[in-house]
Structure formats: structure tokens, C-alpha cells
Amino acid sequence: MLTKWCRAFPGLPEEVPHARHFVASLLTDRGPVEDAVLVVSELATNALRHTRSGSAGGCFFVVVGLSDDLVRIEVVDQGGELVPHLCHATSREEGGRGLRLIAAFSKNWGYTVRPDGRSVWAELARASA
């Protein structure tokens, strides 16, 4: 059985720490807090940088799903022109490593295109209770 929590955030950079706190507060004593906080930070930042969620009046949603063996972190944004993809960043580039980092930390990750945007998600192994 999957238990879910969801929270909306205004599309502002200063909301990313609030998204991290939301995830950490749900997973304390329940899951991989540090990995989940890293994942939501990267996904929320990407939503603000690469989608309409970061435009004036934009927003994004963070959905946390918890089952016996998985934690699923999902960020729902307002869509953009490009789809999420792994980049080949060089050491000189400032960005382009977020999804690679998420892929390394997660059991699985992906995205779903929705009529009003998309969701990007990552599944993490849940620590034993």
C-alpha cells in the first residue's frame, strides 16, 4: 500500500528549501531522508529553471509516496519546451548534473507528460523500519 502526501509551492527559488523541509519532515524515522532531500532539491530547482513553474505566478507540487520498501519523490511542474534528459556536462559547466545525480541515488526515475505539465519522479529504497 502506498501512502501519499502532496503540497503546492509558489514557483520561487526561495521555496526550494521549504520543499526540502516538507520531504525531510515526512521521512524522519521512515526513510532515506538525505537522499530524498537531495532528490527533491534537484527536481524542484529543475522545475523552476526549465518549466513555466518558474515564471511569474507559477507553482510546483511535491508528492511523496511511501510504501513498505520504496519512497517515491515526485515534482509536478507546469511544463516546458524540453523533456527531462540526462546531460553530458563537462567539469567547466555549472549545471547539467542534477538528473545524473538522481539516477545514481535512485532505484528508478522518469517523467510523465500531463495535459497541464509533467511530473518528474524518483524512487528510493526505503531503509528498514
Side-chain angles (χ1 to χ4, degrees):
M1 185 165 138
L2 185 68
T3 304
K4 284 187 174 184
W5 296 268
C6 180
R7 183 171 163 196
F9 295 90
L12 302 168
E14 57 266 24
E15 292 299 320
V16 175
H18 297 291
R20 289 193 298 258
H21 179 72
F22 170 67
V23 169
S25 69
L26 291 173
L27 295 181
T28 299
D29 299 327
R30 295 189 205 181
V33 176
E34 290 179 17
D35 292 353
V37 166
L38 175 74
V39 166
V40 77
S41 186
E42 290 294 334
L43 293 180
T45 299
N46 283 350
L48 296 177
R49 285 185 181 164
H50 303 295
T51 77
R52 288 183 288 280
S53 292
S55 299
C59 68
F60 64 95
F61 296 85
V62 174
V63 182
V64 178
L66 187 64
S67 71
D68 289 339
D69 59 345
L70 279 178
V71 174
R72 182 179 170 109
I73 306 295
E74 181 176 2
V75 171
V76 180
D77 62 47
Q78 294 180 289
E81 293 182 23
L82 302 174
V83 296
H85 62 282
L86 297 176
C87 295
H88 297 285
T90 67
S91 61
R92 295 180 185 188
E93 292 174 285
E94 187 175 310
R97 293 174 191 81
L99 287 179
R100 286 204 177 277
L101 194 59
I102 289 169
F105 276 89
S106 64
K107 290 180 75 167
N108 198 10
W109 77 275
Y111 67 91
T112 304
V113 176
R114 305 162 59 108
D116 55 349
R118 71 174 152 241
S119 70
V120 185
W121 52 267
E123 295 174 336
L124 306 169
R126 185 173 174 204
S128 300

